[in-house]
Amino acid sequence: MRHSLKVNKETVFRIEARAILEGLRIAWEKGYRPLEINCENALLVESVLTGSAASTNLAELRLINVYLKRSWKTRICYIPRSQNMVVDRMAKCTYDNQFGLKLFEDSQ
């Protein structure tokens, strides 16, 4: 499963945190386990991996931490955008001037 989230006038860090949070929520609800999260924001990945997400003022990071503590196997990885063409393609799919979430499901 992959997803793309289009939002307006927010920092890139918060946008990417919200996208991870929504991905975790959807994966949990759909019963996807284990789960691998790929992110192009090294600072966000580091915040989640070091546990500083639990003590931040950013609600999205605290909620990510709550989801990651659930009983499932998750892995979060930093992947530079230049090495992840899927993300670039998905981002282009959201340019239809509609805000919200687009869900891309694998046909396996």
Side-chain angles (χ1 to χ4, degrees), residues 31-79:
Y32 294 126
R33 293 158 184 67
L35 180 67
E36 181 174 311
I37 303 160
N38 297 316
C39 180
E40 65 184 50
N41 187 317
L43 180 60
L44 178 56
V45 171
E46 181 181 349
S47 296
V48 172
L49 291 177
T50 62
S52 62
S55 61
T56 183
N57 288 335
L58 192 61
E60 289 86 353
L61 283 182
R62 288 194 314 273
L63 290 169
I64 288 170
N65 188 57
V66 169
Y67 269 101
L68 294 177
K69 287 185 175 182
R70 291 183 174 185
S71 89
W72 60 344
K73 184 175 180 167
T74 57
R75 178 178 163 195
I76 184 164
C77 306
Y78 166 70
I79 296 185

Side-chain angles (χ1 to χ4, degrees), residues 73-92:
K73 184 175 180 167
T74 57
R75 178 178 163 195
I76 184 164
C77 306
Y78 166 70
I79 296 185
R81 185 175 203 143
S82 62
Q83 295 178 10
N84 193 352
M85 302 318 279
V86 172
V87 170
D88 187 51
R89 179 67 108 174
M90 288 169 45
K92 289 177 182 172

